[in-house]
């Protein structure tokens, strides 16, 4: 009976040490608890357009005069029981959108964006009480959505046949400080929506908002309590027994929140 001898192959070169698991990973992001923030209301901000048709007509007029419209929106993240929540506006008890808006044609992108965030969320009358206009830490651009035509649908890419898109919407990560006062117009609601609720839920929130969990998956989070102590880190210690993340109404219209399926793009 023949015997087969196995000889280990060896190389004259030193072994290659693999990169650590978190190589090229973005720096961890610190999330503060929802209870650290103060929420209020301010004067109503009526929608500029009474209908979707009117909104698209205004976009067409803007494009004719100024070219492609630029829109910036903010992804503001805090946590509740060590689960990330996104601060989001709800309009007419059915439509959801991130804070932000379209920029004026001559606006610098970041400074104009900060002004739009102030319009939506800055408390009135508190700028002189230790707060400054445009006091937002605008982080990375996490996504770009493109509107190829004068229609409601947007794409996370420019279709091959489109050379002149009508609008570019950017979603920026807004790094919230330890504490902040936020006020929402009386005709809107400010919600804290858990990633659990957004994930794979385009039927309710639309493709842009339901994509946010994917956009944030690149980050490791550090969860801090009200006293500034780190209480969990990604992957986290888990929520209290029986806790299920759910949307919380923080401020705004005091009518009952309805389970509408509408989205606003």
């Amino acid at each position: 009976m023949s015997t087969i001898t196995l000889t280990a192959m060896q190389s004259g070169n030193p072994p290659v040490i693999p990169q650590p698991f978190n190589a090229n990973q973005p720096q961890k992001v610190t999330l503060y608890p929802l209870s650290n923030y103060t929420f209020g209301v301010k004067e109503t901000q009526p929608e500029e357009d009474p209908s979707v048709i009117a909104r698209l007509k205004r976009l067409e007029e803007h494009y004719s005069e100024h070219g492609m419209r630029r829109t910036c929106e903010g992804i503001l993240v805090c946590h509740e029981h060590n689960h990330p929540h996104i601060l989001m506006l709800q309009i007419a008890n059915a439509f959801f959108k991130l804070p932000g808006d379209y920029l004026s044609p001559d606006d610098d992108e970041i400074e104009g964006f900060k002004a739009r965030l102030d319009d939506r969320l800055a408390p009135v009358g508190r700028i002189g009480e230790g707060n400054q206009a445009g006091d937002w830490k605008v982080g990375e651009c996490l996504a770009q959505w493109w509107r190829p035509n004068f229609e409601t649908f947007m794409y996370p890419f420019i279709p091959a046949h489109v050379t002149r898109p009508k609008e570019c919407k950017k979603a920026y990560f807004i790094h919230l400080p330890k504490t902040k006062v936020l006020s929402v117009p009386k005709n809107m609601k400010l919600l804290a929506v858990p990633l659990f609720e957004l994930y794979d839920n385009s039927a309710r929130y639309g493709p842009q908002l339901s994509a946010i969990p994917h956009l944030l998956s690149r980050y490791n989070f550090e969860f801090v309590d009200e006293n500034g102590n780190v209480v969990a880190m990604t992957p986290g210690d888990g929520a209290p027994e029986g806790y299920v993340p759910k949307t919380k109404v923080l401020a705004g219209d005091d009518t009952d929140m309805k389970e509408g399926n509408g989205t606003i793009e």
Side-chain angles (χ1 to χ4, degrees), residues 122 124 225 263:
V124 176
D225 65 14
T263 61

Side-chain angles (χ1 to χ4, degrees), residues 155-234:
Y155 296 84
F157 55 88
I158 302 178
H161 65 282
V162 174
T163 58
R164 295 180 180 272
K166 307 306 183 286
E167 181 178 3
C168 175
K169 180 188 289 186
K170 293 186 178 183
Y172 280 95
F173 195 139
I174 305 299
H175 296 268
L176 286 173
K178 183 177 181 180
T179 61
K180 195 171 182 68
V181 179
L182 302 170
S183 290
V184 64
K186 286 191 293 186
N187 58 315
M188 304 178 188
K189 288 178 181 175
L190 183 62
L191 310 177
V193 184
L195 292 189
F196 174 88
E197 167 72 12
L198 288 174
Y199 177 68
D200 199 25
N201 197 356
S202 60
R204 178 167 172 76
Y205 293 100
Q208 296 174 37
L209 300 181
S210 62
I212 290 176
H214 296 276
L215 302 177
L216 295 180
S217 66
R218 61 186 294 205
Y219 296 104
N220 286 324
F221 293 117
E222 177 182 73
F223 302 94
V224 177
D225 65 14
E226 294 177 351
N227 298 317
N229 301 312
V230 177
V231 293
M233 297 179 68
T234 302

Side-chain angles (χ1 to χ4, degrees), residues 34 80 85 190-194 246-250 257:
L34 186 60
E80 177 89 336
H85 285 57
L190 183 62
L191 310 177
V193 184
K246 59 183 179 181
T247 299
K248 300 184 69 173
V249 180
L250 305 175
M257 180 174 158

